[in-house]
Amino acid sequence: MPGGKETRLLHLGEMEKLDKTLFRLEQGFELQFRLGPTLQGKAVTVYTNYPASGEVFDRHKFRTLSWHNPTGKEDDSDKYCKLDLQISGSYQYYFSLGNEKSGGGYIVVDPILRVGADNHVLPLDCVTLQTYLAKCLGPFREWEDRLKVAKETGYNMIHFTPLQMLGLSRSCYSLADQLEVNPEFSDHNKKCTWSDIGALVEKLKNEWNMLCITDVVYNHTATNSEWLRMHPESWVLDRALWHLTGMVADGKCVAKGVPPLIENDHHLNCLRKIIYEDIYPKLKLWEFFQVDVNKAVQQFKTLLTQGKMGAKSDPNKHLQILQDPEYRRLGCTVDMNIALATFIPHSNGPAAIEECCNWFRKRIEELNAEQYRQTCHHQEQAVNCLVGTVVYERIACNGPKLGPISRKHPLVTRYFTYPFKELTVEEEETMIHQPDKACYFMAHNGWVMGDDPLRNFAEPGSNVYLRRELICWGDSVKLRYGSKPEDCPYLWAHMKKYTEITAKYFHGVRLDNCHSTPIHVAEYMLDTARKLRADLYVVAELFTGSEELDNIFVNRLGITSLIREAMTAYNSHEEGRLVYRFGGEPVGSFVQPRLRPLMPAIAHALFMDITHDNECPIQHRSAYDALPSAMIVSMACCATGSTKGYDELVPHQISVVSEERFYAKWNPAAHLTPGEVNFQTGILAGRLAINRLHQELGAKGFNQARSEGNTVYVDQVDEDIVAVTRHCPNTHQSVVAVCRTAFRDPKTCFYSKEVPEMCIPGKIDEVVLEARTIERSASPYKKDLHFINGLPNFTMELREHIQIKDSKIIKQAGTAIKGPNEFVQEIEFERLTPGSVIVFR
């Protein structure tokens, strides 16, 4: 190809809709659209919203691509239209036959990340990210000392949780004001501003070779956000089962078998009985979905008496209840045209009309009865969810054990909130139908297990709140954007400004709860962000459970990397499988032509050993496992990451809500004081070596496997040992990491002393590194009151770039076996104890 340009060919097929197929390309590539066999000889027009040269991207503006025919012959087999891809983001294409749309899809162009004063490229597969909870950084003047730990341990990207003013709960993700810097970062002498933070971000990029990203939180805000009261049109709410909490907390249910401290199945069964016999019968929730029978019959009778006839309607349409949009009791209706066409009197006499009305009444009563049964089904599910929550929060061994029911720790998290004094259920219901008060009733946000991520669970047609299926965040309320900015101008403008601030000062964004954010809102906001920063790095967490659903979000939003978590693995075999699945895409032959078909891709991963939402791995596994699991993750052919505290072996989850202590600072000196760390702390020394290796493998093209199908090769040596291979097709060199995991505590669980031999294709040139976790005599762990501290009695031994004969883990060089096609070396291990790793090339 002229100039060595990489070209990809996308063959179009009639009625081929590829919205759920991911096509990833790099900037500088040329994409050619060509006609597939089903379109040969037909008049096809291709459209795209990729902007023409010199134009600004507009998602809704499509242009026609012109056809090129290099041979000049009337032959569809070689003609094409093309795009020169110079701008990152998500772009749509479609093609039509005549005036009818026939097919289409999306293309995602990766951003180019640059670091250093010389703006050299940071490949996506070389990213090593660490998450910091912003509120634990302390005053802004102390940030550099705390962030320096990430620099010294080889990370090249920092993810800050939101830096804005926090809500009353103190959760890092419950923001009181999206536009204001958290005032806690300021000193009494110096106010911290966005400009200050932006200057630090640029310093880290230019001097530390580190990029910075932060979260954008679009789907909820803190309940105490002042702008809620100024602009209530942004919100919806209804009222939930709050008063039962007060009754139980005040001891008013003890006589019925439910004390404030719920401890056993008897208490739970009594709770069920109270809800079924006392709460639901009084609430009569079914009335919100039913028709007032007498009112409907009277209206029907009046129409019959006046001689009204039903308009000609679809015979397939049957009488059904039409939901009252204001959800008033017995406020639902039916379509009288269908009723008049269905129930026709045999004459105009009073008796005939009365008989017809009776048949109509019977049908309405049947429809109401169906609504009653459906509501009872919802109520049954609600009780199951409610009791399940109580079991987890009060009784379960792995739960938080919240103790007695109280207003601070209610029976279940409130789904709704409002700024008025507490009233009776009946009085609150009347307020819901008063427009000047109803606008302040606000629904809390959360997530629904197994729900469709493309559906808004808070909109009409959803019964999630009624069925109590929402895993609720009681410190935030759900935002209601509508379908376009005109539906809620203030909210869209407010969040647009929030996005512009973020894109101005940071190199990328993390879409918090992407699966719960309205996708059209995220599209609008990311389009805004990319206007300010073209090469925006976009990462997101998605819990859709489906690669096709993931692709919809990646395609429409132009997501660069999806967050994947190694902590979901329950053993070493599953951890190795995750590396294989997320660690790289299938690759072709060694010699790749520059002109080749565009193949479907998998979403690029940001594979993390632990995210800030994970529970502590030390509690679920052991402290010995931190090093080998970090090594396994780092061998993945993608971006990798971790969360501050993992490397220091902090033995508990650092809560985004309750943690108020500060991170430790970097101190290279031998003697540390509280609140300081260095390479003698936890696995920090090993993390530096691991991060350096990950970046080297990505930069030097170790992206092809020994076997076909993936860019990493994972070998499950035995129950606990995982070997991961990365291969470079240019040098034919491989790097192998052998990791002995410790999902079980070696001090209390049996591990075999016999380690299987391994056969390594080729000859070992050197041991890149070998390391193991060791326990030293030190005082037992004591949680520091002011600083986040880790286990003091664990450290590690590390050796780098040594000859195989000097290795302390490899028992002997083994026997060199020269087969007909390859050179194989057998190696044995001597000190590959649980918590150890060895890497050789």
Side-chain angles (χ1 to χ4, degrees), residues 90-118:
S90 164
Y91 305 101
Q92 192 174 1
Y93 73 90
Y94 71 90
F95 57 93
S96 62
L97 293 174
N99 295 323
E100 292 190 11
K101 184 176 178 180
S102 181
Y106 289 84
I107 55 172
V108 176
V109 183
D110 289 335
I112 297 176
L113 307 182
R114 298 182 182 276
V115 294
D118 59 350

PDB file of all heavy atoms in Angstrom, residues 90-118:
ATOM      1  N   SER A  90     -16.733   7.136  18.583  1.00  0.00           N
ATOM      2  CA  SER A  90     -17.680   6.171  18.056  1.00  0.00           C
ATOM      3  C   SER A  90     -18.404   6.776  16.864  1.00  0.00           C
ATOM      4  O   SER A  90     -18.915   7.898  16.944  1.00  0.00           O
ATOM      5  CB  SER A  90     -18.700   5.790  19.133  1.00  0.00           C
ATOM      6  OG  SER A  90     -19.821   5.167  18.571  1.00  0.00           O
ATOM      7  N   TYR A  91     -18.477   6.018  15.779  1.00  0.00           N
ATOM      8  CA  TYR A  91     -19.103   6.522  14.554  1.00  0.00           C
ATOM      9  C   TYR A  91     -20.039   5.460  13.974  1.00  0.00           C
ATOM     10  O   TYR A  91     -19.770   4.263  14.058  1.00  0.00           O
ATOM     11  CB  TYR A  91     -18.037   6.922  13.535  1.00  0.00           C
ATOM     12  CG  TYR A  91     -17.054   7.915  14.094  1.00  0.00           C
ATOM     13  CD1 TYR A  91     -15.795   7.504  14.526  1.00  0.00           C
ATOM     14  CD2 TYR A  91     -17.408   9.254  14.263  1.00  0.00           C
ATOM     15  CE1 TYR A  91     -14.906   8.407  15.078  1.00  0.00           C
ATOM     16  CE2 TYR A  91     -16.515  10.158  14.814  1.00  0.00           C
ATOM     17  CZ  TYR A  91     -15.272   9.734  15.223  1.00  0.00           C
ATOM     18  OH  TYR A  91     -14.402  10.621  15.788  1.00  0.00           O
ATOM     19  N   GLN A  92     -21.096   5.953  13.377  1.00  0.00           N
ATOM     20  CA  GLN A  92     -22.109   5.061  12.833  1.00  0.00           C
ATOM     21  C   GLN A  92     -22.077   5.097  11.303  1.00  0.00           C
ATOM     22  O   GLN A  92     -21.751   6.118  10.702  1.00  0.00           O
ATOM     23  CB  GLN A  92     -23.491   5.490  13.333  1.00  0.00           C
ATOM     24  CG  GLN A  92     -24.599   4.488  13.082  1.00  0.00           C
ATOM     25  CD  GLN A  92     -25.910   4.913  13.729  1.00  0.00           C
ATOM     26  OE1 GLN A  92     -25.989   5.974  14.359  1.00  0.00           O
ATOM     27  NE2 GLN A  92     -26.941   4.097  13.581  1.00  0.00           N
ATOM     28  N   TYR A  93     -22.395   3.977  10.704  1.00  0.00           N
ATOM     29  CA  TYR A  93     -22.565   3.918   9.251  1.00  0.00           C
ATOM     30  C   TYR A  93     -23.830   3.120   8.957  1.00  0.00           C
ATOM     31  O   TYR A  93     -24.270   2.286   9.749  1.00  0.00           O
ATOM     32  CB  TYR A  93     -21.354   3.266   8.575  1.00  0.00           C
ATOM     33  CG  TYR A  93     -21.285   1.763   8.785  1.00  0.00           C
ATOM     34  CD1 TYR A  93     -21.913   0.882   7.887  1.00  0.00           C
ATOM     35  CD2 TYR A  93     -20.623   1.223   9.884  1.00  0.00           C
ATOM     36  CE1 TYR A  93     -21.872  -0.483   8.092  1.00  0.00           C
ATOM     37  CE2 TYR A  93     -20.588  -0.143  10.094  1.00  0.00           C
ATOM     38  CZ  TYR A  93     -21.215  -0.989   9.201  1.00  0.00           C
ATOM     39  OH  TYR A  93     -21.196  -2.344   9.401  1.00  0.00           O
ATOM     40  N   TYR A  94     -24.430   3.397   7.838  1.00  0.00           N
ATOM     41  CA  TYR A  94     -25.513   2.549   7.345  1.00  0.00           C
ATOM     42  C   TYR A  94     -25.540   2.659   5.826  1.00  0.00           C
ATOM     43  O   TYR A  94     -24.936   3.555   5.241  1.00  0.00           O
ATOM     44  CB  TYR A  94     -26.862   2.927   7.966  1.00  0.00           C
ATOM     45  CG  TYR A  94     -27.459   4.240   7.510  1.00  0.00           C
ATOM     46  CD1 TYR A  94     -28.307   4.300   6.392  1.00  0.00           C
ATOM     47  CD2 TYR A  94     -27.198   5.415   8.206  1.00  0.00           C
ATOM     48  CE1 TYR A  94     -28.863   5.503   5.987  1.00  0.00           C
ATOM     49  CE2 TYR A  94     -27.742   6.618   7.813  1.00  0.00           C
ATOM     50  CZ  TYR A  94     -28.581   6.661   6.706  1.00  0.00           C
ATOM     51  OH  TYR A  94     -29.126   7.853   6.291  1.00  0.00           O
ATOM     52  N   PHE A  95     -26.217   1.738   5.189  1.00  0.00           N
ATOM     53  CA  PHE A  95     -26.313   1.784   3.724  1.00  0.00           C
ATOM     54  C   PHE A  95     -27.749   1.492   3.321  1.00  0.00           C
ATOM     55  O   PHE A  95     -28.512   0.859   4.054  1.00  0.00           O
ATOM     56  CB  PHE A  95     -25.334   0.815   3.067  1.00  0.00           C
ATOM     57  CG  PHE A  95     -25.495  -0.624   3.490  1.00  0.00           C
ATOM     58  CD1 PHE A  95     -26.294  -1.499   2.754  1.00  0.00           C
ATOM     59  CD2 PHE A  95     -24.833  -1.101   4.613  1.00  0.00           C
ATOM     60  CE1 PHE A  95     -26.434  -2.814   3.130  1.00  0.00           C
ATOM     61  CE2 PHE A  95     -24.975  -2.427   5.004  1.00  0.00           C
ATOM     62  CZ  PHE A  95     -25.772  -3.282   4.262  1.00  0.00           C
ATOM     63  N   SER A  96     -28.117   1.996   2.176  1.00  0.00           N
ATOM     64  CA  SER A  96     -29.497   1.852   1.705  1.00  0.00           C
ATOM     65  C   SER A  96     -29.524   1.332   0.277  1.00  0.00           C
ATOM     66  O   SER A  96     -28.582   1.512  -0.497  1.00  0.00           O
ATOM     67  CB  SER A  96     -30.226   3.194   1.787  1.00  0.00           C
ATOM     68  OG  SER A  96     -29.603   4.150   0.935  1.00  0.00           O
ATOM     69  N   LEU A  97     -30.633   0.677  -0.037  1.00  0.00           N
ATOM     70  CA  LEU A  97     -30.944   0.257  -1.403  1.00  0.00           C
ATOM     71  C   LEU A  97     -32.127   1.094  -1.852  1.00  0.00           C
ATOM     72  O   LEU A  97     -33.238   0.933  -1.337  1.00  0.00           O
ATOM     73  CB  LEU A  97     -31.312  -1.229  -1.445  1.00  0.00           C
ATOM     74  CG  LEU A  97     -30.193  -2.224  -1.120  1.00  0.00           C
ATOM     75  CD1 LEU A  97     -30.727  -3.633  -1.062  1.00  0.00           C
ATOM     76  CD2 LEU A  97     -29.088  -2.124  -2.148  1.00  0.00           C
ATOM     77  N   GLY A  98     -31.876   2.022  -2.747  1.00  0.00           N
ATOM     78  CA  GLY A  98     -32.936   2.964  -3.099  1.00  0.00           C
ATOM     79  C   GLY A  98     -33.220   3.864  -1.917  1.00  0.00           C
ATOM     80  O   GLY A  98     -32.313   4.506  -1.382  1.00  0.00           O
ATOM     81  N   ASN A  99     -34.455   3.887  -1.478  1.00  0.00           N
ATOM     82  CA  ASN A  99     -34.835   4.731  -0.339  1.00  0.00           C
ATOM     83  C   ASN A  99     -34.981   3.939   0.954  1.00  0.00           C
ATOM     84  O   ASN A  99     -35.421   4.483   1.965  1.00  0.00           O
ATOM     85  CB  ASN A  99     -36.150   5.454  -0.643  1.00  0.00           C
ATOM     86  CG  ASN A  99     -36.012   6.430  -1.787  1.00  0.00           C
ATOM     87  OD1 ASN A  99     -34.982   7.090  -1.931  1.00  0.00           O
ATOM     88  ND2 ASN A  99     -37.051   6.528  -2.622  1.00  0.00           N
ATOM     89  N   GLU A 100     -34.646   2.661   0.930  1.00  0.00           N
ATOM     90  CA  GLU A 100     -34.834   1.828   2.110  1.00  0.00           C
ATOM     91  C   GLU A 100     -33.492   1.475   2.745  1.00  0.00           C
ATOM     92  O   GLU A 100     -32.573   1.026   2.067  1.00  0.00           O
ATOM     93  CB  GLU A 100     -35.586   0.551   1.736  1.00  0.00           C
ATOM     94  CG  GLU A 100     -37.036   0.798   1.328  1.00  0.00           C
ATOM     95  CD  GLU A 100     -37.807  -0.505   1.193  1.00  0.00           C
ATOM     96  OE1 GLU A 100     -37.281  -1.552   1.623  1.00  0.00           O
ATOM     97  OE2 GLU A 100     -38.923  -0.459   0.657  1.00  0.00           O
ATOM     98  N   LYS A 101     -33.420   1.686   4.074  1.00  0.00           N
ATOM     99  CA  LYS A 101     -32.223   1.332   4.812  1.00  0.00           C
ATOM    100  C   LYS A 101     -32.082  -0.179   4.859  1.00  0.00           C
ATOM    101  O   LYS A 101     -33.030  -0.897   5.166  1.00  0.00           O
ATOM    102  CB  LYS A 101     -32.312   1.903   6.232  1.00  0.00           C
ATOM    103  CG  LYS A 101     -31.073   1.695   7.080  1.00  0.00           C
ATOM    104  CD  LYS A 101     -31.232   2.382   8.419  1.00  0.00           C
ATOM    105  CE  LYS A 101     -30.023   2.157   9.315  1.00  0.00           C
ATOM    106  NZ  LYS A 101     -30.185   2.831  10.625  1.00  0.00           N
ATOM    107  N   SER A 102     -30.887  -0.668   4.548  1.00  0.00           N
ATOM    108  CA  SER A 102     -30.693  -2.109   4.436  1.00  0.00           C
ATOM    109  C   SER A 102     -29.838  -2.690   5.555  1.00  0.00           C
ATOM    110  O   SER A 102     -30.019  -3.834   5.942  1.00  0.00           O
ATOM    111  CB  SER A 102     -30.056  -2.459   3.085  1.00  0.00           C
ATOM    112  OG  SER A 102     -29.887  -3.848   2.958  1.00  0.00           O
ATOM    113  N   GLY A 103     -28.906  -1.942   6.064  1.00  0.00           N
ATOM    114  CA  GLY A 103     -28.038  -2.479   7.110  1.00  0.00           C
ATOM    115  C   GLY A 103     -27.112  -1.409   7.638  1.00  0.00           C
ATOM    116  O   GLY A 103     -27.096  -0.271   7.155  1.00  0.00           O
ATOM    117  N   GLY A 104     -26.326  -1.751   8.624  1.00  0.00           N
ATOM    118  CA  GLY A 104     -25.396  -0.778   9.184  1.00  0.00           C
ATOM    119  C   GLY A 104     -24.766  -1.257  10.475  1.00  0.00           C
ATOM    120  O   GLY A 104     -24.947  -2.403  10.895  1.00  0.00           O
ATOM    121  N   GLY A 105     -24.011  -0.386  11.095  1.00  0.00           N
ATOM    122  CA  GLY A 105     -23.334  -0.725  12.338  1.00  0.00           C
ATOM    123  C   GLY A 105     -22.506   0.441  12.837  1.00  0.00           C
ATOM    124  O   GLY A 105     -22.750   1.606  12.478  1.00  0.00           O
ATOM    125  N   TYR A 106     -21.505   0.135  13.665  1.00  0.00           N
ATOM    126  CA  TYR A 106     -20.659   1.152  14.289  1.00  0.00           C
ATOM    127  C   TYR A 106     -19.188   0.800  14.093  1.00  0.00           C
ATOM    128  O   TYR A 106     -18.839  -0.379  13.919  1.00  0.00           O
ATOM    129  CB  TYR A 106     -20.929   1.241  15.797  1.00  0.00           C
ATOM    130  CG  TYR A 106     -22.253   1.849  16.166  1.00  0.00           C
ATOM    131  CD1 TYR A 106     -23.416   1.078  16.196  1.00  0.00           C
ATOM    132  CD2 TYR A 106     -22.351   3.196  16.498  1.00  0.00           C
ATOM    133  CE1 TYR A 106     -24.634   1.622  16.550  1.00  0.00           C
ATOM    134  CE2 TYR A 106     -23.570   3.754  16.863  1.00  0.00           C
ATOM    135  CZ  TYR A 106     -24.702   2.964  16.885  1.00  0.00           C
ATOM    136  OH  TYR A 106     -25.906   3.524  17.232  1.00  0.00           O
ATOM    137  N   ILE A 107     -18.359   1.817  14.142  1.00  0.00           N
ATOM    138  CA  ILE A 107     -16.914   1.621  14.229  1.00  0.00           C
ATOM    139  C   ILE A 107     -16.412   2.459  15.397  1.00  0.00           C
ATOM    140  O   ILE A 107     -16.905   3.555  15.646  1.00  0.00           O
ATOM    141  CB  ILE A 107     -16.178   2.031  12.932  1.00  0.00           C
ATOM    142  CG1 ILE A 107     -16.512   3.466  12.535  1.00  0.00           C
ATOM    143  CG2 ILE A 107     -16.516   1.064  11.812  1.00  0.00           C
ATOM    144  CD1 ILE A 107     -15.679   3.980  11.386  1.00  0.00           C
ATOM    145  N   VAL A 108     -15.461   1.908  16.138  1.00  0.00           N
ATOM    146  CA  VAL A 108     -14.879   2.601  17.286  1.00  0.00           C
ATOM    147  C   VAL A 108     -13.404   2.826  16.998  1.00  0.00           C
ATOM    148  O   VAL A 108     -12.663   1.868  16.715  1.00  0.00           O
ATOM    149  CB  VAL A 108     -15.051   1.789  18.581  1.00  0.00           C
ATOM    150  CG1 VAL A 108     -14.351   2.481  19.744  1.00  0.00           C
ATOM    151  CG2 VAL A 108     -16.537   1.608  18.901  1.00  0.00           C
ATOM    152  N   VAL A 109     -12.984   4.079  17.041  1.00  0.00           N
ATOM    153  CA  VAL A 109     -11.592   4.452  16.779  1.00  0.00           C
ATOM    154  C   VAL A 109     -10.925   4.767  18.110  1.00  0.00           C
ATOM    155  O   VAL A 109     -11.385   5.641  18.852  1.00  0.00           O
ATOM    156  CB  VAL A 109     -11.501   5.667  15.833  1.00  0.00           C
ATOM    157  CG1 VAL A 109     -10.046   5.979  15.511  1.00  0.00           C
ATOM    158  CG2 VAL A 109     -12.297   5.405  14.555  1.00  0.00           C
ATOM    159  N   ASP A 110      -9.860   4.044  18.418  1.00  0.00           N
ATOM    160  CA  ASP A 110      -9.183   4.205  19.708  1.00  0.00           C
ATOM    161  C   ASP A 110      -8.477   5.547  19.804  1.00  0.00           C
ATOM    162  O   ASP A 110      -7.936   6.053  18.807  1.00  0.00           O
ATOM    163  CB  ASP A 110      -8.148   3.095  19.909  1.00  0.00           C
ATOM    164  CG  ASP A 110      -8.789   1.742  20.165  1.00  0.00           C
ATOM    165  OD1 ASP A 110      -9.934   1.711  20.645  1.00  0.00           O
ATOM    166  OD2 ASP A 110      -8.135   0.721  19.875  1.00  0.00           O
ATOM    167  N   PRO A 111      -8.427   6.122  21.018  1.00  0.00           N
ATOM    168  CA  PRO A 111      -7.641   7.347  21.213  1.00  0.00           C
ATOM    169  C   PRO A 111      -6.154   7.038  21.250  1.00  0.00           C
ATOM    170  O   PRO A 111      -5.748   5.889  21.469  1.00  0.00           O
ATOM    171  CB  PRO A 111      -8.128   7.847  22.577  1.00  0.00           C
ATOM    172  CG  PRO A 111      -8.513   6.605  23.309  1.00  0.00           C
ATOM    173  CD  PRO A 111      -9.076   5.675  22.260  1.00  0.00           C
ATOM    174  N   ILE A 112      -5.355   8.049  21.037  1.00  0.00           N
ATOM    175  CA  ILE A 112      -3.899   7.938  21.194  1.00  0.00           C
ATOM    176  C   ILE A 112      -3.528   8.666  22.481  1.00  0.00           C
ATOM    177  O   ILE A 112      -3.740   9.872  22.608  1.00  0.00           O
ATOM    178  CB  ILE A 112      -3.153   8.550  19.996  1.00  0.00           C
ATOM    179  CG1 ILE A 112      -3.481   7.784  18.712  1.00  0.00           C
ATOM    180  CG2 ILE A 112      -1.646   8.543  20.240  1.00  0.00           C
ATOM    181  CD1 ILE A 112      -2.859   8.380  17.463  1.00  0.00           C
ATOM    182  N   LEU A 113      -2.992   7.927  23.445  1.00  0.00           N
ATOM    183  CA  LEU A 113      -2.584   8.512  24.722  1.00  0.00           C
ATOM    184  C   LEU A 113      -1.122   8.929  24.635  1.00  0.00           C
ATOM    185  O   LEU A 113      -0.280   8.192  24.118  1.00  0.00           O
ATOM    186  CB  LEU A 113      -2.783   7.497  25.849  1.00  0.00           C
ATOM    187  CG  LEU A 113      -4.183   6.867  25.970  1.00  0.00           C
ATOM    188  CD1 LEU A 113      -4.235   5.923  27.172  1.00  0.00           C
ATOM    189  CD2 LEU A 113      -5.252   7.950  26.085  1.00  0.00           C
ATOM    190  N   ARG A 114      -0.829  10.115  25.173  1.00  0.00           N
ATOM    191  CA  ARG A 114       0.534  10.633  25.139  1.00  0.00           C
ATOM    192  C   ARG A 114       0.952  11.102  26.524  1.00  0.00           C
ATOM    193  O   ARG A 114       0.150  11.701  27.248  1.00  0.00           O
ATOM    194  CB  ARG A 114       0.651  11.792  24.133  1.00  0.00           C
ATOM    195  CG  ARG A 114       0.333  11.364  22.703  1.00  0.00           C
ATOM    196  CD  ARG A 114       0.511  12.507  21.713  1.00  0.00           C
ATOM    197  NE  ARG A 114       0.158  12.108  20.348  1.00  0.00           N
ATOM    198  CZ  ARG A 114       0.994  11.489  19.514  1.00  0.00           C
ATOM    199  NH1 ARG A 114       2.242  11.228  19.912  1.00  0.00           N
ATOM    200  NH2 ARG A 114       0.608  11.143  18.304  1.00  0.00           N
ATOM    201  N   VAL A 115       2.202  10.833  26.870  1.00  0.00           N
ATOM    202  CA  VAL A 115       2.743  11.225  28.163  1.00  0.00           C
ATOM    203  C   VAL A 115       4.109  11.868  27.974  1.00  0.00           C
ATOM    204  O   VAL A 115       4.704  11.807  26.894  1.00  0.00           O
ATOM    205  CB  VAL A 115       2.872  10.015  29.116  1.00  0.00           C
ATOM    206  CG1 VAL A 115       1.516   9.449  29.475  1.00  0.00           C
ATOM    207  CG2 VAL A 115       3.752   8.932  28.492  1.00  0.00           C
ATOM    208  N   GLY A 116       4.585  12.492  29.052  1.00  0.00           N
ATOM    209  CA  GLY A 116       5.913  13.092  29.023  1.00  0.00           C
ATOM    210  C   GLY A 116       5.926  14.460  28.367  1.00  0.00           C
ATOM    211  O   GLY A 116       4.999  14.839  27.654  1.00  0.00           O
ATOM    212  N   ALA A 117       6.993  15.180  28.611  1.00  0.00           N
ATOM    213  CA  ALA A 117       7.138  16.509  28.008  1.00  0.00           C
ATOM    214  C   ALA A 117       7.235  16.416  26.489  1.00  0.00           C
ATOM    215  O   ALA A 117       6.888  17.361  25.778  1.00  0.00           O
ATOM    216  CB  ALA A 117       8.380  17.194  28.574  1.00  0.00           C
ATOM    217  N   ASP A 118       7.672  15.257  25.970  1.00  0.00           N
ATOM    218  CA  ASP A 118       7.803  15.075  24.522  1.00  0.00           C
ATOM    219  C   ASP A 118       6.558  14.449  23.898  1.00  0.00           C
ATOM    220  O   ASP A 118       6.528  14.170  22.708  1.00  0.00           O
ATOM    221  CB  ASP A 118       9.015  14.201  24.216  1.00  0.00           C
ATOM    222  CG  ASP A 118       8.927  12.825  24.880  1.00  0.00           C
ATOM    223  OD1 ASP A 118       8.024  12.630  25.729  1.00  0.00           O
ATOM    224  OD2 ASP A 118       9.748  11.956  24.543  1.00  0.00           O
TER     225      ASP A 118
END
